[in-house]
Amino acid sequence: MIEDVEITDNEFLRQFELEIGDNMARIEYALQDRKIFLTKYEMPEDLEEQGFREIFIKAVFEEVKKRGISLVPTSPEVAGFMRKNRRKYKDLLPVGINI
């Protein structure tokens, strides 16, 4: 099923990765204290057209939630997802940050 994707945290490159066939999507991040800044989003057009954008970002948000750290979406795509899903993920934002 398309919703059941597995993401990888490539700690060396500081990015979450999603591989589907020969395509790889990535969200680069920077860790600071107990916050993760999601700084850059890249997804091949093939995967975008298949609807993987929201699935990938949601999987990353769920991983961050599991880790118990705050999330700061600085990438426009990730910030857009946060705005759209504000109610579900507002608890991930650090105090004083509004999207």
Side-chain angles (χ1 to χ4, degrees):
M1 182 179 185
I2 197 170
E3 294 282 332
D4 297 331
V5 297
E6 235 182 88
I7 62 170
T8 305
D9 181 1
N10 184 331
E11 292 180 20
F12 179 72
L13 294 176
R14 289 173 292 157
Q15 64 187 18
F16 291 104
E17 301 170 344
L18 170 66
E19 282 189 76
I20 306 287
D22 293 337
N23 293 312
M24 181 189 289
R26 60 185 57 86
I27 294 178
E28 295 177 10
Y29 64 80
L31 283 170
Q32 183 180 7
D33 300 320
R34 300 275 309 142
K35 295 185 204 80
I36 187 165
F37 292 79
L38 302 179
T39 58
K40 186 175 180 186
Y41 166 90
E42 289 180 20
M43 181 170 283
E45 200 172 309
D46 286 358
L47 296 181
E48 285 276 357
E49 291 170 356
Q50 294 176 51
F52 279 100
R53 175 190 289 211
E54 289 205 0
I55 293 163
F56 180 38
I57 296 173
K58 179 181 176 188
V60 169
F61 277 35
E62 292 298 326
E63 178 62 28
V64 170
K65 191 182 231 179
K66 271 197 290 191
R67 294 179 186 188
I69 59 176
S70 297
L71 178 149
V72 181
T74 58
S75 156
E77 297 86 356
V78 178
F81 178 85
M82 175 59 91
R83 273 191 291 281
K84 194 171 158 187
N85 296 279
R86 181 177 297 138
R87 287 194 178 112
K88 183 172 183 178
Y89 295 111
K90 70 180 176 189
D91 57 319
L92 290 179
L93 291 173
V95 174
I97 302 288
N98 292 312
I99 300 292

